[in-house]
Amino acid sequence: MTETYKDWLNKLPYALWAYRTSIRSSTGVTLYSLLYGMEDVLLVELRIHSLRVMMEANLLESEWAKARHEELQMIDEKRLRALYHFQGYQRRIERAFNKKVRVRDLKPGDLGIYSYKK
């Protein structure tokens, strides 16, 4: 199969899935986990049973519901940790930006480098 620039529409869902399930440097977690409160299960994990899928399959329904309830209670904590991580990220970006800023003392009537001579 030859791939061309016209194939982007077929590949878009895969690109979006990759974006939503990769860890963001600004938050330290995936967008998927912030939204749903748990990590995603890849289709390959369902086809070739991963340990995580096998463990959940062997749980009784009541045990599974209890585990899911505990995960939902932890989602707020996870989101709060992501917020702290994001705030630290913003501070690092701000420091890096402020290192490059040149302070200029301007007085009323100064036009800086755009002053015109009459």
Side-chain angles (χ1 to χ4, degrees):
M1 179 176 129
T2 305
E3 293 186 23
T4 65
Y5 67 92
K6 295 178 183 178
D7 295 338
W8 72 269
L9 186 58
N10 298 329
K11 300 198 186 311
L12 183 61
Y14 302 111
L16 289 173
W17 182 259
Y19 178 77
R20 293 172 182 151
T21 58
S22 59
I23 295 176
R24 306 282 104 207
S25 61
S26 58
T27 59
V29 294
T30 65
L31 297 176
Y32 186 96
S33 67
L34 286 176
L35 182 61
Y36 295 110
M38 63 182 175
E39 290 301 325
D40 60 312
V41 177
L42 301 175
L43 293 176
V44 73
E45 288 183 282
L46 296 175
R47 202 79 143 98
I48 304 168
H49 297 290
S50 69
L51 181 60
R52 176 172 55 158
V53 172
M54 288 177 21
M55 287 177 62
E56 284 190 9
N58 291 334
L59 291 178
L60 296 174
E61 188 174 339
S62 60
E63 292 173 350
W64 181 85
K66 182 180 177 187
R68 180 63 62 223
H69 182 69
E70 289 172 2
E71 285 180 3
L72 289 174
Q73 289 177 338
M74 297 296 286
I75 194 170
D76 289 332
E77 182 180 331
K78 190 173 194 175
R79 287 180 178 156
L80 191 60
R81 271 188 275 131
L83 176 66
Y84 291 143
H85 190 86
F86 181 68
Q87 289 171 341
Y89 177 77
Q90 284 182 320
R91 283 192 298 272
R92 288 192 304 274
I93 296 296
E94 181 182 11
R95 267 187 260 128
F97 176 78
N98 287 339
K99 286 181 183 179
K100 298 178 182 180
V101 173
R102 291 187 307 164
V103 178
R104 295 183 182 172
D105 294 327
L106 297 177
K107 298 175 217 122
D110 285 350
L111 295 175
I113 60 172
Y114 301 108
S115 60
Y116 298 101
K117 294 181 183 177
K118 289 187 179 182

